[in-house]
Amino acid sequence: MFENCLDLQACNFSIDGANNPIVSMANMFKDDWNLTALTMPTLPRNAEYPLVRMDAMFQGCRDLATRVDLSTIYMNDVTDMSWLFYQCTSLPSVKLPADLDTQNCTALQYLFGECRSLNEVINHELIDTRSSLYLTGMWGYT
């Protein structure tokens, strides 16, 4: 959607998630090097059209230096979170949903890989890796 938007500096991403289901957020902001601020929408559970992909969503957003709050997104149907924040080298904090259940997620490799400034992941204890087939570098270089 916004992949490789090198001039994008801020995004107030708003959408009526109840009436406009999103099944994939893969690569959504990938390689938006200059993105520094972001507001995410509220995306409730949609049983008919579940959100299943978030892979590489923020990969390469190296200037993203504010907390990414994903707490308003229903992520329990996501099967691929690999590379989600990979190379977000300025990212200080991530807030995950309080009801996060990753039992359906089979890919978590490089989830926070090379996030050198990351010092807080709120609700990280809810990341259950038992179903994941791919875990390489999940916290690599953080």
Side-chain angles (χ1 to χ4, degrees):
M1 179 178 248
F2 302 105
E3 184 176 0
N4 292 314
C5 291
L6 301 180
D7 293 327
L8 182 65
Q9 294 180 352
C11 183
N12 183 354
F13 182 48
S14 60
I15 187 171
D16 179 359
N19 294 313
N20 298 294
I22 295 176
V23 297
S24 177
M25 295 178 119
N27 302 315
M28 186 171 279
F29 297 100
K30 183 180 178 186
D31 292 329
D32 291 351
W33 298 342
N34 295 310
L35 182 66
T36 58
L38 179 71
T39 303
M40 295 302 294
T42 297
L43 295 177
R45 182 171 194 268
N46 187 313
E48 186 175 358
Y49 301 103
L51 173 63
V52 294
R53 291 188 57 201
M54 293 181 79
D55 48 301
M57 184 174 173
F58 299 103
Q59 179 180 339
C61 291
R62 61 186 185 201
D63 287 345
L64 189 56
T66 57
R67 172 187 288 167
V68 173
D69 186 351
L70 299 178
S71 66
T72 59
I73 298 175
Y74 184 82
M75 296 172 56
N76 295 358
D77 294 316
V78 176
T79 59
D80 190 348
M81 291 186 200
S82 59
W83 310 87
L84 181 59
F85 294 103
Y86 183 70
Q87 294 179 332
C88 290
T89 55
S90 300
L91 182 67
S93 176
V94 174
K95 184 175 183 182
L96 299 171
D99 63 347
L100 181 66
D101 180 352
T102 59
Q103 69 179 348
N104 293 317
C105 193
T106 58
L108 291 166
Q109 72 266 28
Y110 298 100
L111 175 64
F112 298 106
E114 296 190 29
C115 291
R116 293 183 176 98
S117 299
L118 188 65
N119 58 36
E120 178 183 49
V121 180
I122 299 170
N123 298 322
H124 73 277
E125 68 279 0
L126 300 175
I127 300 173
D128 183 350
T129 60
R130 289 179 287 182
S131 298
S132 187
L133 303 173
Y134 308 102
L135 293 169
T136 304
M138 183 174 157
W139 297 96
Y141 306 111
T142 54

